[in-house]
């Protein structure tokens, strides 16, 4: 279990019986299909066409999102979140620190800043977000509530270092998970995270080998 490796977890109160961030009619921009030789990376090229989130996931339409990894360099650990049981994709699994879709008309960086604050209560400036790469991802699954989904995404991956945030504020960061979106958050040594992702541990949201290698190359 990941709990044996991490510090004390930060849990949601569990009083919200749904994901408050979910809207089936949230409009997402349709992205151009990536080239066949993308090797796990690419550029999200918009079409100017918007479609609702539920249609995007039902039909497997390419769209874009952000991933934010919160990192403690001092003890080489990453913050993992357990996704709420109410999420429309991958409910209950361990995942990147914070993540979210880029709503039509919004920018990637602005979305990353907002998601970090909304999901974990960490407020900071855009300058603290280091863009690492854009991953190309295809996955599918099903939930009891939302049914079958096909998720085809361009994922803009960012790194935020805790020590820089604490230097800015002069105090330790406080994690406050968003009830209904996140079950809990916990710090886990990056080596353990890498091993779990590489081994396709069923308790984690799966990531492509190219994604895992690129992420941990940046941490070394």
């Amino acid at each position: 279990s990941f709990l044996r490796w991490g510090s004390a977890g930060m849990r949601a109160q569990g009083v919200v019986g749904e994901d408050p961030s979910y809207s089936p009619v949230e409009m997402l921009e349709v992205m151009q299909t990536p080239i066949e030789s993308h090797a796990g990376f690419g550029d999200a090229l918009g079409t100017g066409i918007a479609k609702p989130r539920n249609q995007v996931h039902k039909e497997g339409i390419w769209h874009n999102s952000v991933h934010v990894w919160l990192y403690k360099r001092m003890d080489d650990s990453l913050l993992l979140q357990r996704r709420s049981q109410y999420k429309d994709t991958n409910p209950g699994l361990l995942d990147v620190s914070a993540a979210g879709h880029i709503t039509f008309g919004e920018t990637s960086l602005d979305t990353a800043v907002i998601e970090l604050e909304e999901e974990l209560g960490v407020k900071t400036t855009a300058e603290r977000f280091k863009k690492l790469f854009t991953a190309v991802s295809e996955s599918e699954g099903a939930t009891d509530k939302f049914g079958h989904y096909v998720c085809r995404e361009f994922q803009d991956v960012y790194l935020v270092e805790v020590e820089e945030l604490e230097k800015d504020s002069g105090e330790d960061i406080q994690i406050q998970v968003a009830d209904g979106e996140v079950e809990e958050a916990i710090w886990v040594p990056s080596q353990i995270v890498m091993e779990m992702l590489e081994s396709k541990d069923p308790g984690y949201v799966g990531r492509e080998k190219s994604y895992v290698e690129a992420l941990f190359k940046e941490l070394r």
Side-chain angles (χ1 to χ4, degrees):
S1 168
F2 77 103
L3 288 172
R4 63 179 290 205
W5 302 108
S7 59
M10 295 140 283
R11 298 188 61 85
Q13 295 179 354
V15 297
V16 178
E18 61 181 352
D19 175 6
S21 71
Y22 176 75
S23 170
V25 295
E26 175 188 9
M27 301 303 288
L28 307 179
E29 184 170 8
V30 176
M31 296 290 118
Q32 296 180 27
T33 301
I35 60 174
E36 291 185 9
S37 58
H38 61 72
F41 304 100
D43 295 315
L45 302 176
T47 63
I49 299 170
K51 291 186 180 294
R53 175 172 174 164
N54 58 353
Q55 181 182 354
V56 164
H57 282 164
K58 183 177 181 180
E59 299 179 6
I61 295 170
W62 285 97
H63 57 290
N64 56 348
S65 67
V66 298
H67 286 188
V68 182
W69 288 96
L70 200 55
Y71 179 56
K72 279 185 181 179
R73 188 167 295 279
M74 181 176 66
D75 59 8
D76 190 26
S77 61
L78 291 162
L79 189 72
L80 297 181
Q81 68 156 268
R82 184 180 298 280
R83 294 168 63 83
S84 164
Q85 61 182 309
Y86 308 113
K87 300 297 285 186
D88 59 330
T89 61
N90 300 303
L93 298 186
L94 293 169
D95 200 7
V96 57
S97 310
H101 292 98
I102 302 174
T103 302
F104 184 72
E106 299 294 329
T107 70
S108 171
L109 185 55
D110 284 347
T111 301
V113 173
I114 291 169
E115 293 295 338
L116 185 63
E117 182 176 2
E118 287 186 350
E119 295 190 358
L120 300 176
V122 178
K123 187 174 183 178
T124 187
T125 60
E127 289 74 23
R128 289 307 183 199
F129 289 73
K130 179 184 178 183
K131 172 75 177 296
L132 302 183
F133 53 85
T134 299
V136 176
S137 172
E138 295 185 70
S139 64
E140 63 180 304
T143 68
D144 292 339
K145 183 176 181 179
F146 297 98
H148 181 259
Y149 64 84
V150 179
C151 188
R152 295 191 171 105
E153 288 186 328
F154 291 89
Q155 300 162 340
D156 288 341
V157 180
Y158 294 89
L159 185 71
V160 176
E161 297 201 28
V162 168
E163 286 83 359
E164 293 183 352
L165 305 188
E166 294 179 339
K167 182 178 179 181
D168 290 343
S169 66
E171 56 187 19
D172 294 344
I173 67 165
Q174 300 296 320
I175 304 297
Q176 184 174 355
V177 301
D179 205 355
E181 287 193 70
V182 181
E183 289 291 324
E184 62 181 335
I186 191 166
W187 291 102
V188 180
S190 68
Q191 181 66 28
I192 302 301
V193 178
M194 182 175 69
E195 291 172 2
M196 295 300 99
L197 291 175
E198 287 181 338
S199 66
K200 304 292 185 182
D201 187 294
Y204 287 70
V205 176
R207 301 295 169 207
E208 294 295 330
K209 181 180 179 181
S210 54
Y211 181 118
V212 177
E213 289 179 347
L215 172 63
F216 288 95
K217 181 180 179 181
E218 291 286 344
L219 301 185
R220 298 297 177 252

